[in-house]
């Protein structure tokens, strides 16, 4: 079997590795226009900030690919001929395949703003974007970032480390209003301000204004203000890369449509990662999941189907983590920005430090845990995942809180305060008693 994979990101590479394990004799070719070798996209920001060098963001040594008989083609796939099972490349010879995986990722989403093509206006997705950003921010004094998601904050951190002034334009009333409840958003907002980022809420970009040299000189906002800037970061989300599907008969919507087995509408062609859109996502699940770990899971899952072991993609409870400058954020399961009618939410916040924990749960007799948000506290993934899969009641979760504490030496002191706050707010419920965890000494002695 010859498997051709377009895209050497986490989805493509995870599929290649799993197919190599499952079918040692398979021929596997990875095609990528972006870079000769796979790299960690979430680590791109550290290249700009000078914390890492290019070899540091490549998880595998360059010899790894030859050693595992994974053929790398550094070229752009320009056209697919599904009937002839052939991929045409910009420079090299065409490739015929028995199975094809489209793992083409995503690109910056623009909204047709006037002036968006001026020099100094860009998104942050690719290696080329980081290189361009390093070049175009050299003389910048003021930068504006439109969009307040995770990539917007990364851009802000990158620019602030080089001393540039940063203003963020955020459409919602509070930070990441479609995702974060107001209390979490307020902690992030305080963090942004502490690092010198100015945030304009309920404000949208309407126009980019240029100078005589074709470079951005200011932006106009929905509030009618003009903000001078020499650089504009577009962080309004990503859009799946669909170019290759044109004229192939592959069904697309916002992404490449796939069934539970990540199979497209054309037999023998699969899609995974940021470019894929599931036709029937599970309840509460997004059809497109533009995340690193879901890309890896989809790549590994589709490998089984390609190797004749049909396997449906089942993600399990949602998980995501990020950093807002030095404030760590983890989310597990479902935590909506506002609880639904049959849901309840308990939020604890440290009186002075940037630390918070939210337990979101069913408001019925089960009190089953639905989701967790942690800011400034690091939790253990396996413990939270099990709580969510088993629908553990919130009282029991609180009693076991120590089991989920990833850094007990740093954060153990907050567990009694969290449980006391819950008991004080729920006097009509049986009081939760925090179960004692093994201390460091007894854990060391028991090893
Ligand atoms: C700045 C940034 C920070 C992020 N941080 C996090 C994080 O902290 N945690 C997290 O979970 N996720 C994070 N993400 C998201 C995560 O990186 C992506 O979800 C993941 O990398 C997607 O992997 P993928 O394999 O689907 O696609 P990609 O990694 O995008 O790989 C697709 C590859 O295919 C190539 N390609 C496309 N079309 C062609 C063609 N026609 N011919 C040849 N090659 C082609 C592309 O150039 C690209 O190299 C971040 C994303 C960005 C941009």
């Amino acid at each position: 079997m010859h498997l051709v994979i377009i895209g050497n990101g986490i989805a493509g590479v995870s599929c290649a590795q799993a197919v190599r394990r499952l079918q040692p004799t398979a021929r596997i070719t990875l095609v990528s226009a972006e870079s000769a070798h796979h790299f960690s996209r979430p680590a791109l920001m550290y290249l700009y900030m000078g914390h890492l060098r290019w070899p540091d963001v490549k998880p595998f040594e360059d010899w790894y690919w030859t050693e595992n008989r994974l053929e790398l083609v550094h070229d752009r796939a320009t056209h697919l001929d599904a009937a002839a099972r052939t991929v045409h490349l910009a420079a090299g010879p065409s490739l015929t395949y028995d199975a094809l995986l489209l793992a083409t990722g995503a690109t910056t989403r623009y909204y047709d703003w006037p002036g968006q093509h001026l020099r100094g206006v860009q998104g942050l997705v690719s290696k080329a974007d980081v290189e361009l950003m390093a070049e175009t921010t050299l003389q910048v004094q003021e930068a504006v970032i439109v969009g307040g998601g995770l990539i917007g904050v990364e851009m802000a951190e990158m620019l602030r480390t080089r001393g540039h002034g940063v203003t963020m334009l955020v459409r919602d009333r509070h930070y990441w209003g479609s995702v974060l409840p107001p209390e979490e958003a307020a902690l992030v907002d305080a963090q942004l301000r502490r690092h010198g980022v100015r945030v304009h809420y309920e404000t949208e970009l309407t126009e980019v204004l240029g100078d005589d040299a074709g470079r951005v000189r200011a932006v106009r906002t929905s509030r009618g203000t003009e903000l001078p800037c020499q650089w504009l970061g577009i962080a309004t989300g990503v859009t799946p890369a669909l170019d290759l599907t044109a004229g192939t008969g592959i069904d697309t919507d916002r992404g490449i449509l796939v069934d539970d087995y990540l199979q497209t509408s054309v037999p023998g062609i699969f899609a995974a990662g940021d470019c894929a859109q599931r036709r029937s996502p599970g309840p509460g699940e997004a059809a497109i999941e533009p995340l690193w770990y879901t890309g890896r899971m989809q790549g590994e899952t589709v490998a089984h189907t390609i190797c004749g072991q049909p396997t449906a993609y089942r993600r399990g409870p949602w998980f995501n983590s990020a950093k807002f400058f030095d404030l760590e954020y983890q989310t597990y399961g479902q935590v909506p920005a506002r609880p639904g009618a049959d849901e309840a939410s308990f939020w604890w916040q440290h009186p002075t430090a940037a630390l918070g924990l939210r337990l979101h749960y069913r408001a019925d007799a089960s009190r089953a845990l639905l989701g967790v948000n942690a800011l400034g506290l690091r939790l253990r993934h396996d413990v939270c995942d099990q709580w969510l899969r088993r629908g553990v009641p919130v009282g029991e979760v609180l009693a076991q809180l120590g089991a989920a504490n990833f850094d007990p030496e740093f954060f153990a002191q907050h567990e009694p305060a969290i449980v006391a706050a819950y008991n004080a707010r729920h006097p009509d419920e049986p009081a939760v008693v925090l179960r004692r965890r093994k201390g460091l000494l007894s854990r060391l002695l028991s090893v």
Side-chain angles (χ1 to χ4, degrees):
M1 178 194 56
H2 185 199
L3 167 64
V4 173
I5 300 173
I6 313 294
N8 69 355
I10 186 66
V13 163
S14 301
C15 175
Q17 291 170 315
V19 169
R20 172 54 66 241
R21 278 196 305 276
L22 295 164
Q23 225 177 85
T25 57
R27 182 179 167 207
I28 303 171
T29 306
L30 279 148
V31 181
S32 173
E34 186 177 15
S35 59
H37 297 105
H38 169 62
F39 67 92
S40 166
R41 200 168 296 286
L44 278 179
M45 67 184 291
Y46 301 105
L47 292 177
Y48 179 91
M49 297 196 297
H51 300 177
L52 296 174
R53 299 155 309 143
W54 178 245
D56 306 324
V57 304
K58 292 193 290 181
F60 304 99
E61 300 290 343
D62 291 354
W63 50 257
Y64 170 88
W65 309 99
T66 325
E67 180 108 336
N68 289 281
R69 289 171 292 115
L70 300 170
E71 296 172 32
L72 303 183
V73 176
H74 189 188
D75 203 345
R76 173 163 296 282
T78 51
H79 173 67
L80 289 186
D81 183 341
R85 295 194 165 227
T86 303
V87 179
H88 297 282
L89 304 177
S94 306
L95 298 164
T96 52
Y97 59 82
D98 300 299
L100 176 70
L101 175 66
L102 298 174
T104 49
T107 55
T108 299
R109 188 191 297 145
Y110 287 81
Y111 285 91
D112 284 333
W113 295 283
Q116 69 181 24
H117 299 298
L118 288 165
R119 187 163 158 76
V121 181
Q122 66 163 100
L124 173 64
V125 170
S126 64
K127 177 172 180 275
D129 288 337
V130 180
E131 288 160 357
L132 183 66
M133 190 170 166
E135 190 188 313
T136 55
T137 54
L138 278 178
Q139 307 297 327
V140 165
Q141 287 176 350
E142 283 298 327
V144 168
I145 296 166
V146 54
L150 298 176
I151 291 184
V153 175
E154 286 196 1
M155 277 181 177
E157 184 173 352
M158 293 159 79
L159 293 161
R160 290 301 294 145
T161 55
R162 294 199 180 184
H164 305 302
V166 175
T167 302
M168 290 180 83
L169 307 184
V170 175
R171 190 175 50 186
D172 297 314
R173 185 175 298 172
H174 60 71
Y175 176 76
W176 215 12
S178 55
V179 174
L180 289 184
E183 292 84 356
E184 284 89 324
L187 273 183
V188 178
D189 178 76
Q191 183 74 0
L192 292 171
R193 289 177 196 280
R194 207 164 66 76
H195 285 89
V197 179
R198 298 173 291 261
V199 190
H200 294 204
Y201 292 103
E202 295 182 291
T203 307
E204 294 184 50
L205 174 69
T206 54
E207 189 179 354
V208 191
L209 306 171
D211 61 15
D212 293 343
R215 181 174 178 122
V216 55
R217 65 167 176 82
V219 295
R220 196 164 284 147
T221 75
S222 53
R223 290 176 173 267
T225 46
E226 205 176 292
L227 300 172
C229 63
Q230 300 80 46
W231 193 83
L232 173 64
I234 307 294
T236 43
V238 293
T239 188
L242 304 179
D243 304 2
L244 270 183
T245 58
T248 57
I250 297 174
D251 290 349
T252 59
D253 176 34
R254 287 178 297 136
I256 302 172
L257 287 168
V258 291
D259 63 14
D260 284 355
Y261 297 87
L262 304 171
Q263 161 79 50
T264 70
S265 54
V266 173
I269 303 184
F270 301 81
D274 280 13
C275 67
Q277 176 181 347
R278 283 188 295 155
R279 289 179 189 271
S280 345
E285 292 184 1
I288 302 177
E289 296 176 333
L291 284 186
W292 183 262
Y293 88 98
T294 50
R296 185 173 59 218
M297 281 180 74
Q298 291 192 5
E300 286 170 357
T301 305
V302 76
H304 285 78
T305 303
I306 289 170
C307 292
Q309 303 171 23
T311 305
Y313 172 67
R314 299 272 179 260
R315 189 199 64 217
W318 177 249
F319 163 67
N320 195 6
S321 68
K323 255 174 84 233
F324 303 107
F325 286 81
D326 36 17
L327 179 65
E328 287 200 44
Y329 161 68
Q330 290 183 326
T331 186
Y332 298 91
Q334 302 299 323
V335 185
R338 274 167 234 304
D342 49 354
E343 298 164 357
S345 199
F346 164 69
W347 168 250
W348 170 85
Q349 187 173 329
H350 191 279
T352 51
L355 296 172
L357 180 76
R358 181 180 300 279
L359 301 177
H360 185 66
Y361 55 97
R362 283 193 203 288
D364 61 17
S366 75
R367 290 284 198 258
L369 186 72
L370 295 170
V372 181
N373 274 353
L375 279 160
L377 301 166
R378 199 181 289 176
L379 303 179
R380 294 177 61 102
H381 184 203
D382 53 337
V383 175
C384 295
D385 189 76
Q386 279 307 309
W387 283 341
L388 290 164
R389 284 177 194 271
R390 298 192 346 248
V392 172
V394 66
E396 183 57 24
V397 167
L398 283 157
Q400 298 178 20
L401 209 49
N405 193 337
F406 191 84
D407 295 317
E409 280 69 40
F410 296 112
F411 296 124
Q413 68 270 30
H414 304 304
E415 290 153 16
I418 295 169
V419 169
Y422 183 86
N423 286 336
R425 264 180 258 168
H426 300 85
D428 46 333
E429 293 180 18
V432 175
V433 179
L434 186 65
R435 229 163 276 154
R436 282 176 68 84
R437 258 178 314 104
K438 282 185 176 180
L440 177 63
L441 187 62
S442 50
R443 275 186 287 133
L444 287 175
L445 289 173
S446 67
V447 169

